[in-house]
Amino acid sequence: MLPLSQLLPPALLAFALTACVPAQHATGAASETAVPLATGCVSGYTRPDFAALERDLAAARAKWKAANVRDYSYDFAQIAAPVLLPTTRVTVRGGTVQGVTLAAGQAGQPSAQARATVEDRFASITQALAAQKDRPCPAVQAEYDPRDGHPTRFYSGSREANIADGWGEWKITNFTRP
């Protein structure tokens, strides 16, 4: 399998790796600002409600901080369109990543983003939201665990007309505490 850097041009690789969203935030509510087709967005495009996405992120971070979880493991799956990366198991102890291994039945190289704590995931979401805000037809979605706030899914891309790839998504599943 070729490294992701050989499969995607540098600009697309950077966008896809920060990616991780159609026009709704985690609660499913869309903003009321429809963007006219003349801007180059797909027909029916609705701009994400960035204020709601940022509120959801802040609330999730507060839950995570209050839960004070320092030891955990999770499965990390990522698509950096058009590439599906292998699912990995990430182990964190004392707030530091201790290991990243391929999940059972997976082959290839782990994503460059696999080696990350929940705090790193929050930082990644923050950066992607800031980058997407100024794009002409951004698409962003984020979901968080209702109990402790850890991110469970993040999608980022573009709803510009005539763009079929260049989006990214990651999911965290099988979150466990020892």
Side-chain angles (χ1 to χ4, degrees):
M1 176 180 232
L2 290 174
L4 190 57
S5 61
Q6 291 180 5
L7 295 171
L8 297 173
L12 182 56
L13 175 64
F15 180 71
L17 290 178
T18 61
C20 293
V21 162
Q24 296 181 342
H25 65 86
T27 60
S31 75
E32 296 299 320
T33 309
V35 176
L37 189 56
T39 64
C41 300
V42 297
S43 179
Y45 172 75
T46 301
R47 190 167 181 82
D49 183 343
F50 282 96
L53 286 162
E54 290 167 353
R55 280 192 307 272
D56 291 349
L57 173 59
R61 272 186 152 149
K63 275 186 188 179
W64 179 253
K65 186 174 181 175
N68 196 31
V69 180
R70 307 282 296 153
D71 299 328
Y72 53 93
S73 297
Y74 63 87
D75 291 344
F76 179 73
Q78 182 183 10
I79 298 171
V83 179
L84 172 63
L85 297 151
T87 300
T88 55
R89 183 78 178 159
V90 179
T91 302
V92 177
R93 296 292 178 263
T96 302
V97 175
Q98 298 298 308
V100 175
T101 57
L102 292 178
Q106 298 290 301
Q109 293 296 316
S111 160
Q113 288 190 10
R115 187 175 195 82
T117 64
V118 166
E119 290 83 0
D120 295 333
R121 302 273 175 229
F122 284 134
S124 173
I125 293 169
T126 300
Q127 291 171 348
L129 289 177
Q132 285 285 61
K133 246 184 212 182
D134 295 328
R135 295 195 185 265
C137 308
V140 183
Q141 294 175 346
E143 298 172 10
Y144 306 96
D145 182 81
R147 294 174 307 261
D148 65 24
H150 75 267
T152 58
R153 179 177 169 268
F154 187 68
Y155 171 91
S156 178
S158 174
R159 299 293 292 154
E160 289 183 68
N162 302 319
I163 292 184
D165 58 13
W167 56 272
E169 178 177 21
W170 52 256
K171 293 181 182 181
I172 291 177
T173 58
N174 300 318
F175 188 91
T176 56
R177 300 177 192 188

